[in-house]
Amino acid sequence: MKPLLLKVSSGPAHSFSVRHDVLPDINNRWHCHPELELIYFKKGNGTQFIGDSIKQFKAGDMALVGSNLPHYWRFDDVYFSDEPAEVEIIVVHFCENFWGDQFLQLPENKLIKVLLERSKRGLQISGNTKEKVAQQLAAMLDTDGAERIIMLLKALNTMAISNPVNYLTSIGFKYDHDESENDRLNNIYEYSVRNFRKKIYLDEIAEIAGVSSNSFCRYFKSKTRKTYSQFIIEIKVGYACKLLIENKLNIKQLCYDSGFNNFSTFHKHFKQVTGKSPLIYQKEFTKN
């Protein structure tokens, strides 16, 4: 499966791109690009796909995505309604060598070079580091000239010295750059996110993928390194995490709203995916 290869435009007066987006459908599909991507969700919630990682994203989240690492942020349906909720994103795209081939070889930039190498697996930026970088990104929108490059360097240095190790993809994830593939996986993701609360039958999703029922499971695992049933469980658990954070439903109610048929199954899969029980997950988030 080949994600859509996007052309990122930086403009004739700039060596890298900084955008302030307020629409939920900007590059809202499974895609990749040679540029690294630093993205901050100031407003907006949805499902995040990076490589073989699936999780919910929420307002305040930030990620650094390495070169040609496939990714897709699918905003919740409320952002596409007749009266949509607000979206606000700051996103930076830059090539690793936009400042020259020798810049990262300087001894002073060793930690930044390590950071960019780690970004090939995708990094979730959190805590005080995220807060500092968010301020630097906001400032970057209002700067120009050399100051703009300095602000990007400051943001990268802030992440580098904090030594973030919150990897998003598994260590064995590899993307096969097969130019003959199309956007089949994007169709699978989109359909799954829209319908995960009900039972999705094999022949149903195989038809969406445009392959036979017999070959779908093998196809999906070869592209994602997980079974389709595990993929759906991760989407359900991610959605349950969102509901736990919002704290609008009790745990048994959100179990069924997340697409699980009984509480024991929900509890088992939630702990397998997150390493915590739903109640402990909610208490830890509330405490933080």
Side-chain angles (χ1 to χ4, degrees):
M1 166 56 220
K2 178 183 181 298
L4 181 66
L5 181 62
L6 292 184
K7 171 71 173 177
V8 176
S9 175
S10 57
H14 298 109
S15 55
F16 64 94
S17 166
V18 185
R19 293 203 323 261
H20 180 221
D21 292 336
V22 293
L23 296 175
D25 56 352
I26 300 296
N27 297 335
N28 190 34
R29 61 191 297 107
W30 182 244
H31 68 281
C32 66
H33 37 70
E35 296 82 2
L36 290 89
E37 179 171 319
L38 176 59
I39 186 166
Y40 172 55
F41 295 92
K42 193 172 182 180
K43 297 178 183 178
N45 306 314
T47 306
Q48 170 180 291
F49 303 86
I50 299 180
D52 59 357
S53 167
I54 310 165
K55 60 176 293 186
Q56 290 288 307
F57 71 85
K58 61 186 183 301
D61 279 359
M62 180 182 294
L64 178 62
V65 181
S67 175
N68 288 315
L69 177 60
H71 53 282
Y72 167 35
W73 283 276
R74 202 279 180 185
F75 283 87
D76 291 338
D77 289 341
V78 66
Y79 299 97
F80 299 94
S81 64
D82 293 335
E83 297 181 2
E86 291 185 354
V87 167
E88 190 173 353
I89 310 162
I90 301 176
V91 58
V92 180
H93 292 105
F94 62 98
C95 291
E96 185 171 313
N97 64 346
F98 84 92
W99 32 40
D101 294 334
Q102 299 303 312
F103 184 76
L104 291 178
Q105 307 309 316
L106 298 174
E108 293 86 350
N109 292 329
K110 179 180 178 181
L111 292 180
I112 293 179
K113 183 178 180 180
V114 171
L115 172 75
L116 301 187
E117 182 66 26
R118 287 176 170 173
S119 74
K120 293 178 181 179
R121 287 181 57 192
L123 296 173
Q124 197 78 42
I125 311 302
S126 59
N128 291 332
T129 301
K130 179 186 69 176
E131 301 304 322
K132 291 178 182 177
V133 175
Q135 294 174 6
Q136 291 160 343
L137 290 179
M140 201 182 304
L141 290 170
D142 298 322
T143 60
D144 215 333
E147 184 66 22
R148 197 164 176 266
I149 297 176
I150 293 170
M151 291 304 300
L152 176 58
L153 187 58
K154 283 183 176 180
L156 293 174
N157 189 59
T158 299
M159 292 183 284
I161 62 178
S162 71
N163 195 29
V165 289
N166 299 317
Y167 292 117
L168 289 168
T169 66
S170 63
I171 193 170
F173 177 78
K174 299 291 183 184
Y175 166 57
D176 181 13
H177 294 267
D178 185 349
E179 296 295 336
S180 66
E181 288 285 352
N182 54 33
D183 59 355
R184 179 179 291 148
L185 200 54
N186 182 75
N187 294 336
I188 296 172
Y189 282 7
E190 177 70 18
Y191 187 83
S192 301
V193 170
R194 286 184 177 275
N195 296 280
F196 70 88
R197 294 181 187 85
K198 71 178 183 68
K199 182 175 178 60
I200 300 176
Y201 293 94
L202 178 59
D203 56 351
E204 179 182 356
I205 192 62
E207 183 177 355
I208 295 297
V211 298
S212 70
S213 299
N214 291 334
S215 61
F216 174 81
C217 294
R218 183 173 62 255
Y219 166 81
F220 188 82
K221 191 168 185 179
S222 71
K223 301 304 177 184
T224 66
R225 301 184 71 248
K226 63 184 69 178
T227 65
Y228 185 68
S229 59
Q230 179 62 31
F231 171 77
I232 290 295
I233 287 170
E234 290 180 15
I235 292 178
K236 290 179 179 180
V237 169
Y239 186 73
C241 289
K242 172 193 170 185
L243 296 179
L244 284 167
I245 291 169
E246 292 175 347
N247 197 23
K248 295 179 180 178
L249 301 173
N250 64 47
I251 293 180
K252 286 195 174 181
Q253 286 176 314
L254 68 84
C255 155
Y256 295 104
D257 200 53
S258 301
F260 290 97
N261 293 324
N262 62 73
F263 185 71
S264 61
T265 300
F266 164 65
H267 194 277
K268 171 187 172 184
H269 288 311
F270 191 96
K271 196 166 185 179
Q272 284 177 342
V273 173
T274 67
K276 304 178 179 72
S277 70
L279 188 59
I280 290 176
Y281 180 93
Q282 187 179 49
K283 285 182 176 178
E284 287 186 356
F285 184 86
T286 303
K287 180 180 177 181
N288 291 332

